[in-house]
Amino acid sequence: FIVWKMEERSYRLSFPLFSVALNSDGILIAGGGGGASKTGITNAISVFKFNKNGSLNFQNTIGTGSECVKCLAFHPTEKIFAAGVGINCKIYSFDSKDDVISIKEIGSFQTEKNASEDEQKSVAFAPSGKLIVTGGVNAIVQSWPYPQADPAKPLNVDKSEKGEIDVINFHPSGDFVGALSQTHLRIWKGKITSDNVVLDRPLTEMYEQKKLIYKGFRFSPTEECFFVGKISPKGRGWIERWDSTGDGKWLMKKSSIVHRYYHFNTFAISPDGQWIATGTANNSVALFSAKNLSKKMEVKGHTHFITSVAFSPDSKNIISVSVDYSVLSTPIVIRSGPDMQQMIPFSIFILIVALIYNYYL
């Protein structure tokens, strides 16, 4: 794999960033802010035009008041996106006039109850565009009809034991939706009800009796499987692949350590299903094969940890945002040759043979 520092195709905003989303037309949105504390740091959403050559053109910024943005999701067909802002899910429209993209808030509904304690952490549109699913810090997952979302009447409500709902992701068919906290991954078929698949906090042979933390979850856009991430207290990071058994259940097929010395905060899968990108605590973006989870490249372009990653529509670039206020567009560059992770066992074998040979000389 390769490691290099990128100094181009970047943009620095005036606030820390926590979420990024990119639609099939190359419209990129990034949200974040300083929160409710009186630091003077803006809470806002910025929009960019992502070009086919990987460059970013800044278009516009809209403020979100006293609350920062923690999650973003595009509508699958309309020029609409949703944002988790404090205890509310806000709906925005965007349009282009004279080659400038403008943003307008067109609706809002409250998803969490307690403004001083709760916060919306995740949001997703169903592939049909007729449903919004939200998750908060109080472990509650709720589904809402779109566009007539009634805050007093969510379609379904599911309460887990504890934990913030960090990720909500739909299967491309819309038949399944998953919600991930640090301790649980829940997958529902059809409407969200209490009848769901529960994967408890995982244990591995390497860390037997030591609990790990879930970190990231995505359905594959091209195969009947999903990927889930885990990190250990010592900083190691795993990604697991779970395949569908065809009866609404899932079976783990592969588990691989993708980071040995530092954990990752987020990951995404490319639209063509070929790549997985992670955003790590050591300020780098790493790329892995979705087929065998081998590392292909790593780029260190941020100055602080990465909070969210996404792929360009053509799967040739990785977009990352960070609390360092920056948006980066990283081109995928793969050098030919054997994978480093595949070479490690062989290299260790050669080293042992060399030591034995030198010992008997």
Side-chain angles (χ1 to χ4, degrees), residues 27-253:
I27 307 301
L28 186 153
I29 48 177
S37 58
K38 297 179 180 180
T39 60
I41 300 176
T42 303
N43 298 301
I45 300 169
S46 289
V47 61
F48 297 81
K49 177 63 179 176
F50 178 84
N51 302 308
K52 290 184 178 181
N53 64 359
S55 62
L56 299 172
N57 289 342
F58 173 78
Q59 299 291 299
N60 222 321
T61 294
I62 185 171
T64 58
S66 62
E67 300 290 344
C68 72
V69 181
K70 288 296 181 69
C71 53
L72 296 162
F74 277 104
H75 190 279
T77 58
E78 300 177 12
K79 292 183 177 181
I80 298 291
F81 66 86
V85 183
I87 61 172
N88 298 302
C89 183
K90 294 191 175 186
I91 308 299
Y92 296 86
S93 66
F94 59 93
D95 202 1
S96 179
K97 184 177 181 181
D98 298 328
D99 294 327
V100 176
I101 302 170
S102 59
I103 316 171
K104 181 181 179 181
E105 182 181 339
I106 59 172
S108 178
F109 59 97
Q110 185 174 328
T111 61
E112 313 301 321
K113 294 182 179 180
N114 193 328
S116 62
E117 298 179 1
D118 295 339
E119 182 181 41
Q120 185 182 323
K121 291 292 296 292
S122 50
V123 64
F125 279 98
S128 66
K130 297 180 180 180
L131 189 72
I132 300 176
V133 179
T134 62
V137 299
N138 52 12
I140 294 178
V141 178
Q142 302 176 89
S143 62
W144 316 80
Y146 176 83
Q148 291 84 26
D150 184 349
K153 297 179 180 180
L155 292 178
N156 300 97
V157 179
D158 186 88
K159 180 72 166 64
S160 182
E161 294 179 5
K162 291 182 179 180
E164 302 178 358
I165 305 300
D166 295 318
V167 180
I168 293 174
N169 190 241
F170 274 92
H171 185 277
S173 67
D175 292 338
F176 298 95
V177 59
L180 186 83
S181 70
Q182 289 189 353
T183 58
H184 288 79
L185 168 59
R186 290 172 290 158
I187 298 176
W188 297 270
K189 185 176 182 180
K191 292 183 179 181
I192 297 177
T193 67
S194 58
D195 182 18
N196 59 78
V197 179
V198 178
L199 301 177
D200 290 330
R201 182 183 290 206
L203 296 174
T204 69
E205 293 182 3
M206 182 175 295
Y207 284 90
E208 190 175 359
Q209 306 304 322
K210 294 184 179 180
K211 294 182 178 180
L212 306 179
I213 295 173
Y214 280 122
K215 208 75 173 179
F217 162 75
R218 289 289 185 273
F219 282 104
S220 169
T222 57
E223 299 183 75
E224 290 299 314
C225 68
F226 67 79
F227 296 87
V228 62
K230 305 182 297 184
I231 61 173
S232 76
K234 293 186 177 181
R236 289 191 176 187
W238 288 259
I239 290 179
E240 294 177 347
R241 172 178 170 141
W242 291 69
D243 285 8
S244 172
T245 60
D247 55 358
K249 298 181 180 179
W250 307 84
L251 181 66
M252 189 181 74
K253 287 292 187 178

Side-chain angles (χ1 to χ4, degrees), residues 6 10-21 28-34 41-42 44 46 48 56 68-70 72 265-266 278-285 299-310 318-330:
M6 185 183 67
S10 64
Y11 197 93
R12 182 177 172 84
L13 294 165
S14 60
F15 52 94
L17 296 164
F18 298 106
S19 184
V20 65
L28 186 153
I29 48 177
I41 300 176
T42 303
S46 289
F48 297 81
L56 299 172
C68 72
V69 181
K70 288 296 181 69
L72 296 162
N265 301 309
T266 180
T278 62
T280 71
N282 79 330
N283 316 335
S284 67
V285 170
V299 178
K300 192 170 184 178
H302 289 278
T303 60
H304 216 302
F305 67 86
I306 296 169
T307 51
S308 185
V309 293
I318 305 168
I319 310 301
S320 57
V321 297
S322 166
V323 292
D324 67 4
Y325 298 28
S326 66
V327 183
L328 293 182
S329 169
T330 303

Side-chain angles (χ1 to χ4, degrees), residues 1 237-239 254-260 262 286-289 292-298 337-348:
F1 64 94
W238 288 259
I239 290 179
K254 187 173 183 60
S255 178
S256 180
I257 296 178
V258 295
H259 294 293
R260 295 180 180 274
Y262 45 86
L287 183 77
F288 301 86
S289 165
N292 58 22
L293 301 180
S294 61
K295 182 181 283 189
K296 297 300 183 180
M297 60 174 273
E298 186 170 341
D339 292 325
M340 181 63 72
Q341 291 181 340
Q342 295 175 350
M343 287 295 293
I344 288 175
F346 179 73
S347 301
I348 293 174

